[in-house]
Amino acid sequence: AVLTPARTLWPLLALLAATAWAGTTIHWSVPDALHGLDPYFHIRQAWLMRHGQGDPAQWFQFSIYTTHPADPEWGFHWLLMPFTFGDLVLGAKVAAVLGLVLFTVVCWWVVWRLRLSTPTLWTIGALVLFPSFFLRMTLLRPFLLTTGLLLLGLYGLIANRRWLVGITVAVWTWLHSGYLLLGSVIILYLALDAIRIRRIDWTLVGWTVGGWLLGLALHPAPWQYLSFWLQLAVLTRQWHAARLEMPFAMELQPWGAPWWQASVGLLVFYVLDTIWLWRMPRQPQGEARAAMVKRFLWIVLTLTWVMTVRHLRFFEYLVPVTILTSAYLWQEPLIRARRR
């Protein structure tokens, strides 16, 4: 694929400008405050880390976690430190807008690198298909970066760029505790690929494990960081067993009726993806991998739906996975439609 200013670069620049303008408008609608509660914690923790006071043991006793103090978003807070020189609210707003623009670039780049049709339109779809997604992506939270990392990881698997998968795993492990999500996606890909080629891709396994170990090594408290996941799993199970309302953990709540009503567009995409996948003609032997990738993306999308329905916090991943899956599955029908 070749970047041409008229057909590709200028639409991308216009999209980035519009995204930055929309994000800035949302943030400056409340001049002296931040949207949501999480951004206050993240920017303050980054400020504390810059001043050598970011030890999570100081505040873990006030959280829902009682043992094994570790900052599960240490890398994210480290990246925020340059935005803590001066007014923290202003710094948080600037960082959030930059994160939104970065996600837009990654989404566009992945679609473009896979040689899929109209990357700009697909990226616009990711931003406007579900209005709540755009609003949540203006919040200063790790999801600003991990959504892009998930797309990069999926691109690495689809394009057979094992080194990129390893780097993505390392960065996500260092950045945020949700790295197990990408690990699960890689395991699924390895299983489907092993069925196709009748052997395990040990090179991909090596890159994945190496990236994970590197990400852990870069964390200041790797063993506490690992035990954090176990503690979170135990607490979540206890909450659900006790049927608690969990007002302090709304992100772990299942979808309610308003979310279902607002997600009609996403459901339409999922239904169309499913119909097209199962009506897809049998692929020739030389295109077996392409067929496997399509099944892989559909399974990832289906599992993301299941996780999102159970826990709202996975919603940020549902939208970009929907866009990438649809762009990949619909590529051939769109090409045929143009030729007609």
Side-chain angles (χ1 to χ4, degrees):
V2 178
L3 278 174
T4 57
R7 299 186 59 184
T8 308
L9 186 56
W10 292 119
L12 171 63
L13 293 177
L15 174 60
L16 295 180
T19 302
W21 174 82
T24 302
T25 300
I26 291 174
H27 277 288
W28 265 264
S29 63
V30 185
D32 301 321
L34 297 172
H35 292 283
L37 299 177
D38 290 9
Y40 287 101
F41 164 73
H42 292 305
I43 197 67
R44 174 60 72 175
Q45 178 66 10
W47 183 90
L48 290 172
M49 287 172 59
R50 186 169 66 83
H51 289 82
Q53 304 173 21
D55 185 0
Q58 300 176 0
W59 51 260
F60 234 62
Q61 58 181 315
F62 302 108
S63 73
I64 58 176
Y65 310 104
T66 56
T67 59
H68 308 296
D71 186 351
E73 294 104 8
W74 188 85
F76 181 65
H77 297 149
W78 189 88
L79 291 176
L80 288 179
M81 283 196 288
F83 300 94
T84 61
F85 292 89
D87 183 81
L88 295 185
V89 172
L90 176 61
K93 291 176 183 288
V94 173
V97 173
L98 290 178
L100 176 62
V101 171
L102 180 60
F103 165 78
T104 305
V105 171
V106 171
C107 186
W108 180 92
W109 184 85
V110 167
V111 177
W112 173 70
R113 285 295 299 173
L114 289 174
R115 299 177 181 271
L116 304 178
S117 301
T118 59
T120 302
L121 290 180
W122 284 114
T123 305
I124 292 174
L127 296 172
V128 305
L129 178 64
F130 198 99
S132 295
F133 173 76
F134 188 87
L135 292 175
R136 287 169 68 90
M137 289 297 287
T138 61
L139 301 177
L140 185 64
R141 302 192 305 165
F143 296 110
L144 277 173
L145 302 181
T146 57
T147 47
L149 288 174
L150 179 60
L151 287 176
L152 286 176
L154 288 170
Y155 165 74
L157 294 171
I158 296 170
N160 210 22
R161 303 290 192 270
R162 301 176 182 89
W163 60 269
L164 179 59
V165 175
I167 292 174
T168 304
V169 170
V171 173
W172 197 334
T173 304
W174 169 76
L175 185 81
H176 179 247
S177 58
Y179 59 87
L180 288 182
L181 175 63
L182 181 56
S184 302
V185 169
I186 296 171
I187 291 173
L188 172 63
Y189 176 87
L190 283 167
L192 294 176
D193 194 48
I195 294 173
R196 181 181 65 89
I197 63 177
R198 304 193 179 189
R199 61 181 176 84
I200 297 176
D201 186 348
W202 290 109
T203 304
L204 178 58
V205 173
W207 275 105
T208 302
V209 174
W212 176 63
L213 292 175
L214 176 60
L216 286 178
L218 294 174
H219 196 282
W223 294 113
Q224 291 91 327
Y225 187 33
L226 283 173
S227 62
F228 168 84
W229 260 109
L230 177 61
Q231 186 175 191
L232 177 61
V234 171
L235 284 173
T236 304
R237 180 174 293 275
Q238 291 175 348
W239 292 335
H240 282 292
R243 299 183 181 276
L244 299 178
E245 291 295 329
M246 295 187 293
F248 50 85
M250 296 302 295
E251 296 293 295
L252 297 178
Q253 297 281 14
W255 268 23
W259 285 93
W260 281 111
Q261 295 170 3
S263 63
V264 173
L266 291 175
L267 286 170
V268 169
F269 270 79
Y270 179 72
V271 171
L272 292 176
D273 290 342
T274 303
I275 294 174
W276 168 245
L277 180 68
W278 295 110
R279 288 176 58 88
M280 182 177 64
R282 186 176 182 84
Q283 301 291 316
Q285 185 64 29
E287 300 180 12
R289 186 178 186 277
M292 183 274 291
V293 169
K294 292 175 182 178
R295 290 193 296 270
F296 162 70
L297 287 174
W298 181 83
I299 294 173
V300 171
L301 176 58
T302 301
L303 293 177
T304 307
W305 263 106
V306 172
M307 292 188 298
T308 304
V309 170
R310 287 179 55 84
H311 302 299
L312 179 61
R313 71 177 310 146
F314 291 101
F315 170 70
E316 276 81 2
Y317 302 115
L318 178 61
V319 173
V321 170
T322 297
I323 292 299
L324 181 58
T325 302
S326 299
Y328 198 90
L329 290 179
W330 299 4
Q331 175 69 357
E332 295 173 7
L334 288 175
I335 292 176
R336 289 200 296 268
R338 285 182 175 182
R339 289 174 178 172
R340 293 175 183 175

